[in-house]
């Protein structure tokens, strides 16, 4: 018996670009039944995928659906809770930590930095996973508690993350475990059938992580949600694995429990380095997460905050919502291209849900604006450049502290495609320059940095395609535009 046995065809009589919607859904069901008659390990994923596909077809009038920017309304400052207003200067109740669990999200292989990004050295010889374990161990040691740590991995990242944790932290004082993110079959946009039917398509392009909203299904169907509630865990603090500023804050935990908040999302002040991150806004009068690129030009200009994806969830309330079928998250579509036979490109449609969209379904949800140090992303090589620099110091608790004289103001960093992944980044910039007095840096082309370099003010280095620029060891670049290596002959050194 397969997971499809209870699924019947839709009788919806609408059209979908000239085709009856029930025909599209029926075609998908039959195709999956034929292709996956006995693949038990994919039955679970496909049982989650089909309702998402059905809803998407029924709810939209075209194959590719984008949000209407005119219907997006940014939140007013009065709709945020300010962290400073909830900070308790009195002694907080450390016993509340016994009601907390933490979870780190790690989705598809990071195509920007590289698939082993959680294992890349970030600071003082430590990778992201080292720092996260250090933060949790410090919490448990400082307050004599036992806050568990869950890593939600993908099929791609699960082996490397699990192996690293087993090798390095088997005897750790932190109780950790991994759960695996589900994957959906990629859809051929032209046929609305699974891309698996195409020959000579790279296997890794046939399945994709179905978005952070899948955390809800994974927790529930794996039994982990019931397990946490049985252990007395009332609140789950969820954050991205690549956000090294997402540390448990007892002020926020206390505020959430005391005020019986069901769902709490952290946002921070937007900087020049946050151009394409998510935004919490209302769409058709309902609070949800939208991409920055979906905003109108006017809204983008006015947008002052960014979603951190630091989310605090009341677990019993979450279970009630799931079991009452009250969490039909919005479905987001995106298009990618993949290479098939004869170097042809196939348009791929991906359907995902996002955890941040849960905020519109809880009766008592809030958005809290927190200090910038709670959002230290490591999603791009520009982020890596900042965190590896002398702007940040990694202390014994695992906290990354910004150089105090910067007053929380970060320089804007723009690196060209030559620095797009970890390997090429480390070749071009093996030693991060001193940037304590840097305001802006742009580097484009074949540029190679020497060691012990100082950058100040605004520095722009643009190398022609057929040229190479090498910044000599000990150079001091201050308020300068460099376009060829001859400009470096008389440059200051120390």
């Amino acid at each position: 018996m397969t997971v499809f046995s209870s699924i019947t065809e839709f009788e919806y009589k609408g059209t979908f670009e000239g085709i009856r919607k029930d025909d599209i859904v029926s075609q998908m069901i039959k195709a999956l039944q034929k292709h996956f008659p006995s693949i038990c390990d994919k039955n679970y994923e496909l049982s989650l995928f089909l309702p998402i596909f059905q809803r998407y077809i029924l709810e939209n009038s075209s194959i590719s659906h984008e949000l209407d920017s005119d219907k997006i309304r940014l939140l007013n400052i009065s709709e945020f809770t300010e962290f400073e207003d909830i900070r308790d200067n009195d002694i907080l109740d450390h016993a509340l930590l016994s009601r907390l669990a933490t979870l780190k999200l790690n989705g598809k292989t990071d195509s920007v930095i590289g698939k082993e990004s959680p294992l890349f050295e970030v600071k003082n010889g430590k990778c992201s996973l080292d720092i996260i374990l250090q933060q949790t161990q410090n919490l448990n040691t400082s307050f004599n508690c036992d806050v568990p740590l869950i890593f939600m991995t993908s099929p791609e990242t699960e082996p490397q993350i699990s192996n690293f944790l087993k090798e390095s932290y088997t005897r750790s004082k932190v109780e950790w475990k991994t759960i695996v993110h589900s994957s959906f079959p990629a859809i051929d946009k032209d046929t609305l059938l699974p891309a698996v039917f195409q020959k000579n398509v790279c296997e890794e392009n046939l399945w994709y992580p179905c978005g952070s909203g899948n955390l809800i299904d994974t927790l529930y169907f794996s039994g982990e949600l019931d397990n946490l509630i049985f252990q007395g865990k009332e609140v789950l603090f969820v954050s991205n694995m690549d956000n090294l500023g997402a540390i448990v804050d007892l002020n926020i935990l206390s505020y959430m429990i005391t005020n019986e908040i069901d769902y709490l999302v952290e946002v921070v002040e937007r900087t020049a380095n946050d151009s394409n991150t998510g935004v919490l806004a209302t769409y058709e009068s309902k609070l949800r997460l939208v991409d920055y690129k979906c905003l109108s030009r006017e809204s983008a200009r006015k947008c002052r905050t960014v979603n951190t994806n630091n989310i605090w969830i009341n677990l019993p309330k979450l279970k009630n919502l799931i079991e009452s079928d009250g969490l039909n998250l919005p479905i987001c579509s995106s298009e990618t291209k993949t290479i098939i036979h004869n170097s042809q490109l196939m348009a791929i449609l991906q359907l995902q849900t996002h955890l941040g969209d849960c905020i519109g379904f809880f009766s008592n949800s809030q958005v809290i604006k927190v200090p910038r140090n709670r959002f230290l992303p490591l999603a791009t090589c520009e982020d890596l450049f900042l965190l590896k620099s002398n702007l940040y110091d990694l202390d014994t608790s695992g906290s990354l502290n910004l150089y105090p004289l910067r007053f929380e103001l970060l320089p804007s960093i723009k690196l060209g495609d030559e620095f797009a992944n970890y390997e090429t980044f480390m070749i071009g910039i093996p030693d991060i320059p001193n940037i304590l007095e840097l305001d802006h840096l742009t580097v484009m082309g074949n540029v190679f940095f020497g060691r012990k370099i100082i950058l100040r003010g605004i520095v722009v280095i643009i190398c022609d395609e057929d040229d190479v620029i090498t910044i000599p060891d000990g150079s001091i670049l201050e308020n300068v535009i460099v376009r060829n290596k001859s400009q470096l002959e008389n440059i200051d050194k120390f």
Side-chain angles (χ1 to χ4, degrees):
M1 179 177 180
T2 72
V3 295
F4 311 111
S5 58
S6 62
I7 298 176
T8 58
E9 292 186 13
F10 278 86
E11 296 183 358
Y12 184 81
K13 301 300 181 181
T15 60
F16 195 75
E17 294 195 346
I19 307 174
R20 286 183 10 162
K21 292 190 175 184
D22 56 310
D23 288 341
I24 296 174
V25 175
S26 177
Q27 174 183 258
M28 174 63 79
I29 294 173
K30 291 177 181 177
L32 292 174
Q33 285 177 319
K34 180 179 180 180
H35 196 80
F36 299 103
S38 61
I39 302 182
C40 297
D41 62 337
K42 289 299 182 186
N43 276 349
Y44 170 66
E45 276 88 352
L46 296 176
S47 69
L48 298 178
F49 165 74
L50 272 175
I52 296 290
F53 181 77
Q54 293 167 343
R55 277 184 52 211
Y56 184 79
I57 296 298
L58 288 177
E59 293 172 1
N60 298 302
S61 58
S62 62
I63 294 175
S64 298
H65 175 68
E66 295 182 356
L67 299 183
D68 183 349
S69 61
D70 292 333
K71 297 180 180 180
I72 299 174
R73 183 187 68 82
L74 297 177
L75 299 183
N76 297 319
I77 192 169
S78 60
E79 296 176 272
F80 297 131
T81 298
E82 292 285 347
F83 178 80
E84 292 303 321
D85 293 338
I86 66 111
R87 184 196 291 271
D88 193 341
N89 293 322
D90 297 330
I91 298 177
L92 294 166
D93 184 2
H94 299 162
L96 294 177
L97 291 168
S98 65
R99 298 153 73 175
L100 176 71
T102 59
L103 186 144
K104 298 292 181 178
L105 292 169
N106 176 253
K108 183 176 173 62
T109 292
D110 193 323
S111 60
V112 178
I113 293 183
K115 69 177 181 179
E116 296 181 350
S117 55
L119 306 182
F120 288 153
E121 191 270 335
V122 178
K123 202 81 174 175
N124 300 350
K126 295 181 181 293
C127 66
S128 298
L129 291 178
D130 289 319
I131 295 173
I132 291 169
L133 267 294
Q134 184 179 359
Q135 292 169 349
T136 307
Q137 183 165 309
N138 177 74
L139 175 74
N140 289 341
T141 302
S142 299
F143 298 109
N144 193 26
C145 58
D146 189 18
V147 175
L149 175 59
I150 304 170
F151 293 96
M152 184 171 180
T153 64
S154 71
E156 289 178 295
T157 60
E158 166 65 19
Q160 64 200 34
I161 290 176
S162 288
N163 290 339
F164 176 84
L165 292 173
K166 290 175 183 177
E167 292 173 3
S168 304
Y169 293 97
T170 299
R171 298 182 180 180
S172 169
K173 295 182 179 179
V174 178
E175 177 191 342
W176 61 265
K177 68 168 57 177
T178 63
I179 56 177
V180 183
H181 199 288
S182 300
S183 296
F184 281 175
I187 303 168
D188 182 342
K189 184 185 173 186
D190 293 333
T191 65
L192 290 182
L193 290 172
V196 291
F197 296 116
Q198 292 285 352
K199 295 181 180 179
N200 302 321
V201 180
C202 181
E203 181 68 25
E204 68 180 23
N205 294 328
L206 301 182
W207 299 85
Y208 66 94
C210 46
S212 58
N214 176 248
L215 169 63
I216 305 300
D217 291 321
T218 302
L219 286 176
Y220 186 79
F221 290 112
S222 69
E224 189 60 35
L225 179 57
D226 282 333
N227 181 46
L228 290 172
I229 293 174
F230 178 77
Q231 293 177 23
K233 305 303 180 184
E234 181 180 336
V235 176
L236 181 67
F237 175 43
V238 181
S239 59
N240 291 344
M241 196 180 299
D242 60 15
N243 177 12
L244 299 181
I247 300 176
V248 170
D249 188 288
L250 198 50
N251 289 282
I252 299 177
L253 177 63
S254 177
Y255 174 74
M256 184 170 181
I257 293 177
T258 302
N259 292 276
E260 298 182 342
I261 298 170
D262 302 336
Y263 188 93
L264 186 66
V265 181
E266 299 180 31
V267 298
V268 294
E269 193 75 21
R270 180 175 292 275
T271 72
N273 298 317
D274 298 322
S275 57
N276 294 316
T277 43
V279 178
L280 284 167
T282 58
Y283 185 73
E284 295 183 332
S285 302
K286 190 162 188 176
L287 194 58
R288 64 171 295 181
L289 180 67
V290 301
D291 283 337
Y292 183 77
K293 63 183 180 182
C294 294
L295 299 179
S296 66
R297 182 175 298 181
E298 169 118 5
S299 293
R301 183 178 59 83
K302 293 180 179 179
C303 185
R304 293 291 180 266
T305 59
V306 57
N307 173 44
T308 65
N309 218 38
N310 295 352
I311 301 173
W312 304 73
I313 307 173
N314 181 294
L315 292 177
K317 295 293 178 65
L318 173 62
K319 183 179 179 180
N320 290 341
L321 265 181
I322 295 172
E323 295 184 341
S324 64
D325 198 25
L327 265 181
N328 286 321
L329 298 179
I331 302 168
C332 303
S333 66
S334 61
E335 292 182 31
T336 61
K337 300 284 187 181
T338 188
I339 299 176
I340 56 176
H341 57 283
N342 298 326
S343 299
Q344 295 180 347
L345 292 177
M346 177 171 62
I348 293 293
L349 183 68
Q350 297 182 350
L351 306 180
Q352 295 182 319
T353 57
H354 298 299
L355 184 64
D357 283 325
C358 289
I359 192 169
F361 294 86
F362 285 88
S363 59
N364 187 14
S365 59
Q366 289 190 23
V367 180
I368 182 169
K369 188 177 178 184
V370 297
R372 180 72 201 192
N373 63 4
R374 292 192 58 74
F375 185 54
L376 302 177
L378 192 55
T380 67
C381 285
E382 284 92 346
D383 298 330
L384 184 64
F385 181 93
L386 288 171
L387 291 180
K388 286 177 73 69
S389 75
N390 60 342
L391 282 183
Y392 286 97
D393 172 64
L394 179 65
D395 65 23
T396 56
S397 70
S399 296
L400 284 155
N401 304 300
L402 181 63
Y403 180 62
L405 294 183
R406 292 293 309 199
F407 303 105
E408 297 192 3
L409 298 175
L410 293 172
S412 60
I413 308 296
K414 185 176 182 181
L415 303 178
D417 293 340
E418 298 79 10
F419 304 88
N421 61 63
Y422 187 83
E423 287 77 14
T424 57
F425 173 86
M426 293 304 298
I427 291 172
I429 316 177
D431 185 60
I432 304 297
N434 180 328
I435 60 171
L436 294 182
E437 299 177 64
L438 179 69
D439 297 318
H440 172 85
L441 173 66
T442 292
V443 184
M444 301 286 177
N446 296 317
V447 179
F448 297 89
F449 283 75
R451 299 185 179 276
K452 297 184 178 180
I453 291 171
I454 298 176
L455 304 179
R456 295 173 180 156
I458 298 175
V459 178
V460 177
I461 308 171
I462 301 177
C463 181
D464 292 336
E465 186 175 347
D466 57 349
D467 199 1
V468 175
I469 294 177
T470 300
I471 313 298
D473 294 350
S475 297
I476 300 175
L477 302 182
E478 181 173 2
N479 293 323
V480 64
I481 298 176
V482 178
R483 293 188 176 274
N484 57 72
K485 52 191 173 185
S486 64
Q487 292 178 252
L488 301 172
E489 294 176 359
N490 299 318
I491 204 158
D492 290 337
K493 295 185 180 181
F494 70 95

